[in-house]
Amino acid sequence: MIQRFDVGPRMSEMAVHNGVVYLAGQIAENSSDSICGQTQQVLDAIDKLLAEAGTDKSKILRAQIFLKDVTDFEAMNRVWDGWVVPGHTPPRATVQAELANPHWLIEIVVTAAV
């Protein structure tokens, strides 16, 4: 069985299947924030979605991070490092990418176990 959450005409915000949670790419609600502010917003959104699925960030299996500008890597990592659970840091990839909205500085995709 596949559970879908916040289903829209184009995509769902999250799907759960066979004990695995798949999140859509998360972006900041307030795109006027700095990379640190946008990163924190995205991580807060991830926390909320994972809780809705009955899991949390300690069970993240994989994270994919898309940065508008790779020069934001260190600042983003400072926020990330304060958020992840020590001893439960997930495998992760970070790339520079042209995001769908020019005001977005970061988008994160997460897969987690329930």
Side-chain angles (χ1 to χ4, degrees):
M1 179 173 130
I2 299 173
Q3 291 178 281
R4 298 185 195 283
F5 296 76
D6 300 321
V7 178
R10 180 170 293 141
M11 59 180 259
S12 297
E13 200 64 44
M14 174 174 59
V16 179
H17 175 65
N18 211 22
V20 179
V21 179
Y22 303 89
L23 271 57
Q26 299 301 301
I27 47 90
E29 290 290 322
N30 179 359
S31 60
S32 67
D33 269 358
S34 67
I35 185 61
C36 292
Q38 286 196 30
T39 300
Q40 190 61 60
Q41 288 181 59
V42 169
L43 297 176
D44 291 346
I46 290 169
D47 279 334
K48 182 181 173 197
L49 287 166
L50 291 176
E52 190 176 346
T55 190
D56 62 58
K57 62 189 171 190
S58 72
K59 296 183 179 137
I60 294 175
L61 300 171
R62 178 180 181 202
Q64 297 170 292
I65 301 174
F66 303 93
L67 292 175
K68 177 179 180 177
D69 188 341
V70 76
T71 62
D72 286 334
F73 186 70
E74 286 185 41
M76 177 276 298
N77 272 327
R78 284 193 297 275
V79 179
W80 174 270
D81 291 346
W83 177 77
V84 292
V85 178
H88 297 276
T89 52
R92 157 189 132 170
T94 305
V95 298
Q96 182 169 313
E98 187 173 336
L99 302 177
N101 179 321
H103 301 289
W104 295 341
L105 303 178
I106 186 168
E107 183 170 353
I108 300 179
V109 178
V110 165
T111 304
V114 176

